[in-house]
Amino acid sequence: MADIHAVEPTRRDFLYVATGAFAAIGAGAAAWPLTDQMNPDASVLALASIELDIGAVPVGQEITVKWRGKPVFVRHRTEKEIADADAVDITELRDPQTDDARLVKGIDGKLHPEWLILIGVCTHLGCIPLAYKGEYDGYFCPCHGSVYDTSGRIRKGPAPLNLEVPPYKFVSDTKIMIG
Amino acid sequence: MSGHSTYNPSNGFTRWLDSRLPIVRLAHDTAVSYPVPKNLNYWWTFGGILTFILVAQIVTGVVLAMHYVPTTALAFASVESIMRDVNYGWMLRYAHANGASMFFVAVYIHMFRGLYYGSYKAPREVLWILGCLIYLLMMATAFFGYVLPWGQMSFWGATVITNLFGAIPFVGPSIATWLWGGFSIGDPTINRFFSLHYLFPFLIFGVVILHIWALHVTGQNNPAGVEVKNKDQDTVPFTPYATVKDAFGLSVFLIMFAYFVFFTPNALGDVENYTVANPLKTPLHIVPEWYLLPFYAILRAVPSKIGGVVLMFGAIAVLFVLPWLDTSKVRSARFRPLFKQFFWLFLVVCLALGWCGGQMPDNVLFSVGGIDIIVTHLARLLTFYYFFHFLVLFPLLGLIERPKPLPESIAASVLGGKTAAAKA
């Protein structure tokens, strides 16, 4: 190293650095509210959960309800649909998950595989898949061709993940609470 | 290039003003005495056409904003009220909606002209990059604007595009929520898109000023692609020569614009957008406006979410580095026999990508030996060529191509071999 004139920092240097640091903190403090204002506010975040009577949905049919501005599919699966979902070798799946892992226990502490509850939003780019369509008679997204099976798991097409299962629980044999 | 100012204040007031705010001098140097190459063809009138459309879009947009209501409950109804009740509202809205399409028609011609004549090459790299920036801002503005009528295509187009950001690893979902102001597209989203749709044209205006500034520092490129050597022989003053030529080009362009507005105002739109947005029902076929179709085709061509997003944005990003990918010193395709052929191929590929973007991805094009060739396959081939053109051919052609001899000067190219002196 060449000869370095190590000059002692002066009081003025300290003032420069302190002023600059303070200005940077101030700019950051001003930028955060300007950015955060775009996030959902407390009234949106505090969205009440919804309670739903699913007893009226016949076997082999599906209803769609709105939760947090998104559709939720409630599907009363047939024996065949459950059997199809169980028969899949999960090592072949893009997003490996057993059918049982996508269900929630009822108040009797047992799984009720006839009820499949999903967020009806394609994990590719957010379109709403069509039920009972596609190769596996599960779901087919018309936008970019993703195909889901009768457990809502991704089987073909560009979507990376299975259809999401919303947080929900059974409050009676035929009532669920989503959220 | 502009040289020193030739402005002479003609009376007491302009002399007084000139020594305080030389704004008349600036206008004179920019639009009157500014020397333009004398061989500019009609492809060079699109800069002026674009400036006109930008101003027209701002004027019609400001007026439409006086009648539009950015809420999910009233947006669609307020647009219908503009169409039916507001005096001349139908005309203003059709002019604004078709104006967006005309803006892209003109900007694509302007960009392909730049590609053909090598206008992006040194010393015009900054000029080109500013242009790419304007293009990016235009696409954002058009996207925000398309959401505002709150039709089905507005809603689902916005859903697809905002979900692209959700593909970013880790922070993606938070960014999507931040953009929406909720868990899906809703009231906060439409309100902020309206705010940004009003802001962005003024950002474009600002970058346009920088674009013109940069243009006037380096001077215009020209069909021969050789620099101005002698201002007297190679150039003519902007006014009256370029002004009148631009005005004529603009008039012809406006006839086409008016044809769309008055005779077929919905030809470029999607009927689906006359259905009010329904968050519980996706239209069977989501397509963006025609000017974004090639990028949409690239997005869908990739069988991976993040991969599709990266390639789609990459298709625009590659334009920014074009000046450094092209290894040829020769600007104009007139003197680059190989480059010229690939230019036309590239144009066809872009149009074909646009066609693919408008089709259902699974549509079968033809079958060979029992194997169906679908739109996605074609889109993949075209996407490959799009990047191959820029990333491989651009550097390669400059090295292997033998360009034709360049004209000595602009004047010589105009006079076809005869010297300027012989003409005189």
Side-chain angles (χ1 to χ4, degrees):
Chain A
M1 294 283 281
D3 182 31
I4 294 172
H5 300 282
V7 184
E8 274 292 297
T10 63
R11 283 159 176 264
R12 181 144 299 193
D13 290 334
F14 173 76
L15 283 173
Y16 281 148
V17 172
T19 311
F22 215 75
I25 292 167
W32 176 243
L34 287 171
T35 310
D36 192 44
Q37 52 83 22
M38 276 175 68
N39 273 318
D41 60 31
S43 72
V44 176
L45 291 173
L47 270 183
S49 46
I50 55 168
E51 210 174 273
L52 194 66
D53 188 351
I54 55 176
V57 185
V59 176
Q61 286 197 24
E62 176 178 295
I63 60 165
T64 303
V65 293
K66 205 166 158 184
W67 173 70
R68 286 185 163 185
K70 292 176 187 171
V72 169
F73 296 154
V74 178
R75 180 164 176 150
H76 198 163
R77 296 195 289 184
T78 62
E79 290 296 329
K80 181 180 181 300
E81 286 173 349
I82 299 166
D84 285 349
D86 274 333
V88 176
D89 176 8
I90 67 156
T91 55
E92 287 173 9
L93 295 175
R94 187 177 302 170
D95 182 11
Q97 219 178 2
T98 60
D99 187 48
D100 286 354
R102 300 176 57 73
L103 305 172
V104 164
K105 282 181 180 137
I107 48 169
D108 53 3
K110 291 180 192 156
L111 290 174
H112 294 270
E114 67 272 29
W115 294 113
L116 181 69
I117 321 287
L118 300 168
I119 293 181
V121 173
C122 181
T123 56
H124 181 224
L125 293 172
C127 297
I128 299 177
L130 305 168
Y132 304 106
K133 291 264 165 66
E135 213 172 306
Y136 301 93
D137 284 325
Y139 299 89
F140 172 73
C141 182
C143 294
H144 307 98
S146 294
V147 181
Y148 300 88
D149 63 15
T150 54
S151 186
R153 291 171 298 199
I154 181 66
R155 300 296 287 273
K156 273 190 174 174
L161 298 171
N162 301 334
L163 289 178
E164 199 183 331
V165 177
Y168 72 96
K169 61 182 181 197
F170 283 88
V171 289
S172 79
D173 282 343
T174 58
K175 271 195 178 163
I176 59 168
M177 192 165 80
I178 305 173
Chain B
M1 168 95 191
S2 325
H4 57 87
S5 180
T6 58
Y7 171 65
N8 277 316
S10 56
N11 60 45
F13 173 70
T14 46
R15 271 192 295 278
W16 177 86
L17 184 64
D18 195 51
S19 56
R20 285 158 180 81
L21 178 73
I23 190 166
V24 185
R25 178 180 299 276
L26 177 70
H28 182 271
D29 294 346
T30 307
V32 179
S33 66
Y34 172 69
V36 296
K38 57 161 67 165
N39 58 342
L40 296 188
N41 55 31
Y42 275 106
W43 299 116
W44 260 265
T45 60
F46 282 87
I49 290 169
L50 283 161
T51 314
F52 177 89
I53 304 175
L54 175 60
V55 173
Q57 287 299 86
I58 290 177
V59 170
T60 50
V62 166
V63 175
L64 287 169
M66 296 177 185
H67 303 279
Y68 171 78
V69 186
T71 66
T72 55
L74 290 170
F76 190 84
S78 73
V79 171
E80 284 311 298
S81 141
I82 288 170
M83 294 303 290
R84 293 155 193 240
D85 304 338
V86 175
N87 298 334
Y88 292 103
W90 60 271
M91 191 179 89
L92 294 164
R93 173 162 178 265
Y94 277 153
H96 194 72
N98 283 285
S101 278
M102 293 303 124
F103 213 154
F104 280 95
V105 168
V107 88
Y108 283 132
I109 294 175
H110 194 66
M111 289 165 76
F112 275 103
R113 189 269 289 151
L115 283 177
Y116 187 84
Y117 292 112
S119 299
Y120 49 87
K121 294 184 196 186
R124 297 184 181 82
E125 302 95 322
V126 173
L127 175 61
W128 172 262
I129 288 169
L130 288 167
C132 293
L133 206 57
I134 293 170
Y135 177 53
L136 211 54
L137 287 169
M138 276 174 65
M139 288 199 286
T141 311
F143 163 69
F144 292 136
Y146 195 59
V147 178
L148 301 183
W150 205 241
Q152 270 289 67
M153 217 44 97
S154 299
F155 183 89
W156 290 101
T159 299
V160 168
I161 301 296
T162 48
N163 268 302
L164 295 179
F165 294 93
I168 302 168
F170 309 113
V171 292
S174 311
I175 290 177
T177 306
W178 178 73
L179 289 171
W180 294 328
F183 300 105
S184 54
I185 305 255
D187 266 315
T189 328
I190 192 172
N191 215 335
R192 67 189 51 173
F193 279 14
F194 181 51
S195 170
L196 295 172
H197 185 65
Y198 207 116
L199 166 71
F200 272 44
F202 296 97
L203 296 183
I204 293 177
F205 201 91
V207 185
V208 166
I209 289 174
L210 296 180
H211 191 63
I212 295 175
W213 184 9
L215 174 75
H216 285 226
V217 170
T218 61
Q220 276 153 307
N221 185 28
N222 63 83
V226 293
E227 289 293 318
V228 170
K229 292 189 178 115
N230 180 322
K231 194 176 149 187
D232 291 331
Q233 286 185 3
D234 293 343
T235 71
V236 287
F238 191 89
T239 300
Y241 297 95
T243 324
V244 170
K245 192 163 186 158
D246 280 359
F248 181 71
L250 177 63
S251 303
V252 173
F253 190 84
L254 288 182
I255 291 171
M256 179 189 69
F257 189 168
Y259 176 80
F260 275 99
V261 172
F262 293 105
F263 293 96
T264 175
N266 290 304
L268 299 170
D270 194 306
V271 285
E272 194 75 50
N273 224 26
Y274 281 105
T275 310
V276 67
N278 179 357
L280 294 185
K281 187 172 172 291
T282 307
L284 274 181
H285 188 200
I286 297 184
V287 277
E289 290 281 83
W290 68 267
Y291 40 80
L292 301 177
L293 285 174
F295 301 106
Y296 193 57
I298 292 175
L299 170 75
R300 291 194 306 189
V302 186
S304 133
K305 182 170 170 178
I306 185 76
V309 175
V310 166
L311 278 202
M312 187 184 75
F313 284 110
I316 300 161
V318 72
L319 297 175
F320 282 81
V321 292
L322 226 53
W324 295 276
L325 288 173
D326 194 330
T327 49
S328 173
K329 292 267 185 283
V330 178
R331 291 199 188 93
S332 175
R334 274 189 189 172
F335 307 105
R336 300 187 61 189
L338 270 178
F339 177 85
K340 192 182 198 169
Q341 290 171 32
F342 284 110
F343 169 86
W344 293 112
L345 178 60
F346 179 70
L347 181 64
V348 171
V349 164
C350 288
L351 293 173
L353 270 174
W355 180 82
C356 287
Q359 300 299 308
M360 296 288 255
D362 290 336
N363 276 1
V364 177
L365 296 170
F366 53 88
S367 295
V368 188
I371 299 167
D372 288 342
I373 302 298
I374 59 172
V375 170
T376 305
H377 297 143
L378 176 64
R380 279 178 193 160
L381 184 71
L382 297 170
T383 301
F384 172 79
Y385 181 79
Y386 183 98
F387 287 98
F388 177 78
H389 185 81
F390 287 133
L391 297 176
V392 178
L393 285 182
F394 258 56
L396 196 64
L397 284 180
L399 302 177
I400 61 172
E401 182 180 55
R402 176 192 285 267
K404 293 181 190 167
L406 290 177
E408 235 170 80
S409 66
I410 292 172
S413 83
V414 172
L415 298 172
K418 287 175 276 183
T419 63
K423 176 91 187 295

